Amino acid sequence: MSAPGADRVRLVAWVHGRVQGVGFRWWTRSRALELGLSGYAANKPDGRVHVVAEGPAPACRDLLELLRGGGTPGHVDLVVDTWEPARGGLPGFVER
């Protein structure tokens, strides 16, 4: 049996495509909250959206699948993801 919180991870995703000005951050926040994740979605000057989400590994994998799926606002061309140990310090899920 693993220790409490041992399966918590941090997903860092860079979303490329037409993802600004289309409600993408709001949509991402809604999906993340439904999955019980904390973190943020932030617009970047180069047109990408930076998503950082922490929580149980299965929920983070689900969010990544949703980001790559066809149901997002706008149009996603590519999602580049990295995985890290959870660090904490991300209350709720916010748009930045």
Side-chain angles (χ1 to χ4, degrees):
M1 185 169 165
S2 62
D7 69 336
R8 292 182 59 81
V9 297
R10 176 179 280 222
L11 164 65
V12 179
W14 292 92
V15 185
H16 301 247
R18 190 172 60 80
V19 290
Q20 291 191 12
V22 294
F24 187 87
R25 290 178 303 150
W26 177 88
W27 179 89
T28 300
R29 178 180 179 270
S30 297
R31 302 298 79 78
L33 290 172
E34 289 169 358
L35 291 166
L37 300 173
S38 59
Y40 61 87
N43 283 343
K44 293 298 176 181
D46 63 5
R48 296 179 296 171
V49 171
H50 185 214
V51 177
V52 175
E54 281 195 6
C60 285
R61 283 192 298 270
D62 289 347
L63 180 62
L64 181 59
E65 285 182 30
L66 289 166
L67 293 173
R68 288 185 167 143
T72 66
H75 179 78
V76 174
D77 292 326
L78 173 69
V79 180
V80 179
D81 62 288
T82 56
W83 296 86
E84 304 172 2
R87 297 183 213 161
L90 297 170
F93 199 99
V94 298
E95 296 173 51
R96 289 187 179 169

